[in-house]
Each structure stands twice: as structure tokens, then as C-alpha cells.
Amino acid sequence: MNVAAVIWDYDGTLVDTRQKNLAVTREIVWEVLHKSFEEFPALATIENYERANAASVNWRDLYGREFGMDEKQTDYAGTRWTHYQLKNTSNVLFFEGLHATIAELGRHCPQGIVSLNSAANIRRSLVENQLDHFFSGIIGYEEVAFSRQKPDPAALVKCISQLGLLEAEGPIVYIGDHETDAHCAINANHYFGKKKIVSIAALYEQPVAALHWFYQPDHIAESTTHITRIIRDI
């Protein structure tokens, strides 16, 4: 493999956190707005929540558009994410085949995670699944200012720095399931002034979804095993 590193998104890319994140968001909305989740269509079902997330730039956009939170309320909501994530002890599962994929990639290059989830929550999940030793850098939403969340490249650049690869010659792969991840990779390339980041859209269930994105990924992985094949060809 010729890549310098592989950096992953977390939610929807490594693990299926949809049900847990819906429960956490309902708790946050109740605390901040004192309103039941039943008042918001986006929180009524997991399908509605998934569609709302897909249509949002990031979690701040989601909270503003779907729940009507102003900037101050959204800032506070962000500070409560880690609390409710750690309080919710329901299991989240890594997508089938990813344990082997992560182990295979780990034989060739360092790996990191850049996510809008909490770094503490991500680390706990990695430890529980005995995968923590494969990841040398983890950047959660709390590692960068609220105004610089993805698609701003700040978190991705910080992870690359944490891996000691700011001057790396080989390409760095960033894998995510959302258009925001592809946009983040594009913005990171603008930041570096060259094509340093190669993006892969992890669309295990709906590979055609990216056809409608304005910001296009460099590659689309239709399954977890497809990821390794794409990276070998880079």
C-alpha cells in the first residue's frame, strides 16, 4: 500500500450509531428546549432521523434547522453530547468485516479517526472492541471550536498533525459516509495547496446515494471489504 495513513469518520462509517444517537439527541432536545421528541418529525423514527442527518451539513445545522435552536442553545447542546453519550450504555456494533479491514490496514500504515462524536465515547468503543491499539490519533468534536466543525478541515488537519504526517509525501485516505466528509477532504486539499487527501465514501447500504452529492468523493466503497481493494489501488 502506498498511502501514508487512513483516517476514518466514526458514526455510520465504523459503527452503526443511529439508534444510540437518536436516543441521545432526544435527551438533549428535552434538556435544552423542554420539548418532547414527539414534537419534532426528525426525532419520531430512526428513518426520519437518518434522512435529517443526511440533509444536514453537520450537527449544528441539524439542531438549528430541525429543532429551531439558536446559536447559544446549540453551543450548550454541544457541551451535553459527551455526557449523554457516556450515560447511554447501549452497545454499538462495528459494521461487519471492519475488524479485519482495520487489522489489515494496520499492518501497513497508521490510522486515525475524525468525528463529530465525542473523543471519549469513541475511545471507549474502541477499547470495548479491542481495536484501540490500531488508532494513533482521535479527534472528536470537542477538539476543535464549534465554528470549525466539519466540513471545515481543522479537525482533519489536527489528526494528520497528531499522526506526525503534515509533511508526508504519500496520500492520506479519509473515509466517511456523509457528503460533509467528502467536502471536508476537498477543503483540506485547499488548505494544503495540493492533492494530499483522497476521499472514500463508505456507502455500504446505498452506494448510489453519492450520485446526488454536490461534493463528490474520489471513490465509493460499496462494502467494508471494498475499502481495502480501493486503498490498494491508490
Side-chain angles (χ1 to χ4, degrees), residues 25-151:
T25 303
R26 286 172 171 176
E27 294 253 34
I28 290 173
V29 166
W30 172 255
E31 179 177 341
V32 176
L33 300 177
H34 304 295
K35 292 182 178 180
S36 168
F37 72 85
E38 296 169 341
E39 298 184 46
F40 302 98
L43 297 178
T45 65
I46 191 65
E47 292 77 17
N48 286 5
Y49 184 66
E50 192 172 11
R51 280 194 292 269
N53 266 299
S56 301
V57 175
N58 53 35
W59 69 272
R60 293 186 67 85
D61 182 41
L62 173 71
Y63 281 31
R65 288 194 310 110
E66 297 294 340
F67 315 135
M69 291 189 190
D70 59 30
E71 192 158 334
K72 184 177 180 180
Q73 290 171 323
T74 305
D75 285 347
Y76 178 72
T79 69
R80 302 300 289 156
W81 182 262
T82 300
H83 167 77
Y84 284 112
Q85 279 283 340
L86 296 178
K87 179 183 173 184
N88 186 312
T89 57
S90 59
N91 290 330
V92 293
L93 299 177
F94 278 73
F95 287 106
E96 184 177 355
L98 276 185
H99 282 73
T101 298
I102 292 166
E104 172 65 18
L105 294 174
R107 295 173 51 220
H108 302 280
C109 64
Q111 297 178 82
I113 295 174
V114 170
S115 172
L116 295 177
N117 209 312
S118 158
N121 186 55
I122 294 169
R123 288 190 182 95
R124 183 177 73 173
S125 177
L126 292 174
V127 169
E128 289 174 350
N129 287 275
Q130 300 180 355
L131 292 169
D132 52 303
H133 59 288
F134 288 113
F135 294 91
S136 307
I138 299 173
I139 304 297
Y141 79 89
E142 64 270 73
E143 316 295 330
V144 296
F146 284 148
S147 61
R148 304 201 66 188
Q149 303 288 328
K150 293 187 295 184

